[in-house]
Amino acid sequence: MTGARNGGAPAAVLCGLGAWLPPTVVPNTEVAERLGVTDDWIHQRTGVRSRRRVDPGTATIGMAVEAGARALKSQGHGQADAVLLSTATPDRLIPSCAPEIASRLGLTGVAAFDLGAACSGFVYALSVAAGYIAAGTAERVLVIGADTMSAVTDHEDRTTAAIFGDGAGAAVLRAGRPDEPGALGPFVLGSDGTGAGLLGNPRGGSRTRYDYTAAEPRPYVRMEGRQVFRHAVERMGAAIGEAADSRGWDLPAVDRVAIHQANARICQALSTRLAVPEERWLANIDRVANTSSASVPLLLDHSVRDGSLASGARLVIAAFGAGLTWGATTVVWPELTPGE
């Protein structure tokens, strides 16, 4: 499904950015020893050198509050009309985490809810926020992506143990003009539920309930790596091309591409497939691994800080995740400073 701007409706303009990572760094050497492999074995297959892990007592809400506060500071004040949280690892199933996050940020009374689209969730949430703004429901929306993947990772599983990390990132969107820097869109979103079994956590829901007994299998994420890789390249490749075309951009001439940091080899495959030079693909997977919903906003924040993403750059953003879900959008990068 492809979205389009609605006549004279306001566009959603990016005006704030923030991120937060747990202080504990887990290098490949620590993971490799447990798995019986080497640092280079992990890096060659994933691009990951290290990841962050929350300390006891910290979880998704805590990280989301930190990232959200930085994004609000980046926009210049602490106001927003709605808070959207994208996460696959909420602190609890009921109630949603977003209302508590909003209250901790001093935004009690605003609309707030969680959104679940796994690693594509932040792009999905941006599109929902853009819809709120276009409809006049909100003037400013705080969008947060946060995941505590260490809580759902089997640290003895070679397929997933080295891939995931914890973190949070956030952005603020405001109502503005579709022709100004920072205006997002159009959005390209899609899903394929026939692939639901390829990646995810099947336990703990209403169908397969978790009994919390020693004999019960732990509710860990499982992944069919090769099939997920293939779908990620195909689905994101098509979405990136459609998003650029909808904006009227020649894809090989875009300045930067920011995709969900799942595996460095996905970036390499897409670079070849789409004829966009690899140096134009933003990357931070080596430092943070796959942080699920936090991946895209963390990447944007880090790329602004290290100078690889500058104002005026024509940027395509894309993500792919469990569900299967995928999404993409475009933006001419605005002048902004991530919040500290």
Side-chain angles (χ1 to χ4, degrees):
M1 178 181 68
T2 303
R5 292 187 177 90
N6 181 19
V13 178
L14 181 66
C15 65
L17 192 64
W20 191 81
L21 288 168
T24 300
V25 178
V26 180
N28 277 353
T29 50
E30 180 178 324
V31 178
E33 182 178 359
R34 185 170 55 251
L35 296 177
V37 297
T38 65
D39 179 340
D40 285 341
W41 186 91
I42 294 172
H43 183 254
Q44 290 170 6
R45 286 161 176 78
T46 65
V48 178
R49 287 291 189 189
S50 64
R51 73 284 296 144
R52 300 296 184 96
R53 184 177 299 161
V54 296
D55 296 328
T58 302
T60 298
I61 287 177
M63 293 194 296
V65 169
E66 295 286 353
R70 285 161 172 75
L72 292 171
K73 184 175 181 180
S74 173
Q75 74 162 344
H77 58 82
Q79 299 305 307
D81 305 309
V83 176
L84 309 185
L85 172 68
S86 168
T87 187
T89 57
D91 285 30
R92 68 250 164 172
L93 292 179
I94 300 172
S96 294
C97 299
E100 182 175 340
I101 294 167
S103 290
R104 290 197 191 184
L105 292 170
L107 298 171
T108 300
V110 305
F113 63 92
D114 296 359
L115 183 153
C119 300
S120 303
F122 187 77
V123 175
Y124 267 67
L126 289 177
S127 73
V128 173
Y132 270 41
I133 289 170
T137 304
E139 286 287 322
R140 290 177 184 265
V141 182
L142 173 61
V143 180
I144 305 172
D147 270 307
T148 311
M149 293 305 296
S150 62
V152 294
T153 299
D154 181 351
H155 298 288
E156 306 298 328
D157 179 7
R158 283 192 181 187
T159 305
T160 58
I163 294 175
F164 294 112
D166 302 335
V172 180
L173 306 184
R174 64 165 174 82
R177 303 187 317 275
D179 60 346
E180 67 177 298
L184 292 167
F187 285 88
V188 176
L189 304 173
S191 71
D192 180 2
T194 64
L198 299 180
L199 172 59
N201 179 356
R203 309 195 69 79
S206 60
R207 179 184 299 175
T208 309
R209 304 178 189 189
Y210 188 55
D211 292 335
Y212 298 97
T213 63
E216 180 77 5
R218 297 281 293 176
Y220 291 135
V221 167
R222 300 300 181 189
M223 179 174 68
E224 298 292 336
R226 291 186 179 181
Q227 294 188 62
V228 170
F229 185 98
R230 176 177 61 82
H231 278 287
V233 172
E234 291 178 359
R235 306 298 194 177
M236 275 198 291
I240 288 169
E242 187 176 348
D245 185 65
S246 296
R247 186 84 179 224
W249 292 352
D250 177 31
L251 185 56
V254 299
D255 300 303
R256 293 288 185 269
V257 183
I259 69 168
H260 164 55
Q261 300 288 281
N263 188 310
R265 293 191 298 177
I266 292 176
C267 286
Q268 295 162 1
L270 283 169
S271 172
T272 300
R273 184 187 186 98
L274 300 175
V276 177
E278 197 169 335
E279 61 268 20
R280 298 183 190 172
W281 295 73
L282 303 175
N284 67 347
I285 191 171
D286 59 321
R287 293 166 281 162
V288 302
N290 179 345
T291 54
S292 191
S293 288
S295 177
V296 168
L298 276 172
L299 177 61
L300 297 177
D301 182 282
H302 292 171
S303 298
V304 172
R305 292 179 188 278
D306 67 21
S308 55
L309 179 58
S311 60
R314 293 174 297 174
L315 173 70
V316 180
I317 300 170
F320 173 88
L324 300 169
T325 60
W326 58 89
T329 191
T330 57
V331 63
V332 174
W333 195 254
E335 285 193 28
L336 59 77
T337 301
E340 298 291 343

